[in-house]
Amino acid sequence: MSNKFSNSELEAFLDESLPVERMAAIEDRLRSDDDLQKRLTAINGRRDAGVHSLGEIWRRHRLSCPPREQLGSFLLGVLPRDASDYLKFHLETIECRYCAASLGDLKAKQTAAEADVADRRRQKYFQSSVGHLRKQ
Ligand SMILES: [Zn+2]
């Protein structure tokens, strides 16, 4: 299978009139291929649809969001390079509201969990000093 996509294929992609595997192949390729993103945006800009940014194209075509676990790994900084690049692209270029909301939610949970650990550590320290005082 060729990795090159013709302009007419990209047009068909925008119309969602390509075979499913071809749609998926383009979608997959778009995540890492800047040139392809630019070409698609340019083709779309020439149309009368009134949709001009890649983000709009993405949202309009509901191109896939990364799974929530990936957002969690991203926050922890343990996501492999390519996955984390895609996530940045998804959040910063596409400005996906859903993932931004999920990420905010996960961040809040993570902060709460950290606070909880610090709290428990403090409590433990307190208890051990109380125990120490009692022994005296
Ligand atoms: Zn998303």
Side-chain angles (χ1 to χ4, degrees):
M1 194 176 85
S2 164
N3 280 327
K4 296 263 178 233
F5 302 106
S6 67
N7 280 355
S8 55
E9 263 189 311
L10 292 179
E11 294 263 5
F13 174 78
L14 290 170
D15 291 332
E16 293 180 74
S17 59
L18 279 178
V20 175
E21 316 86 72
R22 207 63 183 151
M23 291 287 296
I26 292 180
E27 180 183 330
D28 195 53
R29 195 57 193 280
L30 273 171
R31 296 176 186 185
S32 55
D33 192 332
D34 285 346
D35 283 344
L36 193 61
Q37 289 168 23
K38 281 188 198 116
R39 278 178 60 204
L40 191 66
T41 309
I43 288 168
N44 194 65
R46 285 199 293 270
R47 311 176 126 210
D48 295 321
V51 176
H52 295 292
S53 78
L54 183 63
E56 281 173 89
I57 297 170
W58 208 275
R59 284 190 289 271
R60 206 171 74 162
H61 294 277
R62 299 173 305 277
L63 298 184
S64 41
C65 289
R68 203 173 152 91
E69 310 85 76
Q70 265 192 24
L71 292 174
S73 305
F74 178 71
L75 272 181
L76 295 170
V78 296
L79 208 58
R81 179 69 200 278
D82 55 337
S84 123
D85 281 351
Y86 171 63
L87 228 147
K88 271 188 213 145
F89 163 74
H90 189 75
L91 289 166
E92 290 164 17
T93 307
I94 304 306
E95 299 180 321
C96 175
R97 272 173 296 155
Y98 302 103
C99 289
S102 290
L103 199 69
D105 184 44
L106 284 169
K107 235 182 229 168
K109 282 207 180 98
Q110 207 176 66
T111 310
E114 273 162 18
D116 199 42
V117 166
D119 219 45
R120 248 177 288 156
R121 204 175 289 146
R122 215 173 303 136
Q123 226 167 45
K124 220 166 148 186
Y125 176 75
F126 177 71
Q127 276 161 3
S128 70
S129 7
V130 167
H132 186 67
L133 287 174
R134 278 203 194 119
K135 259 182 245 158
Q136 282 186 331

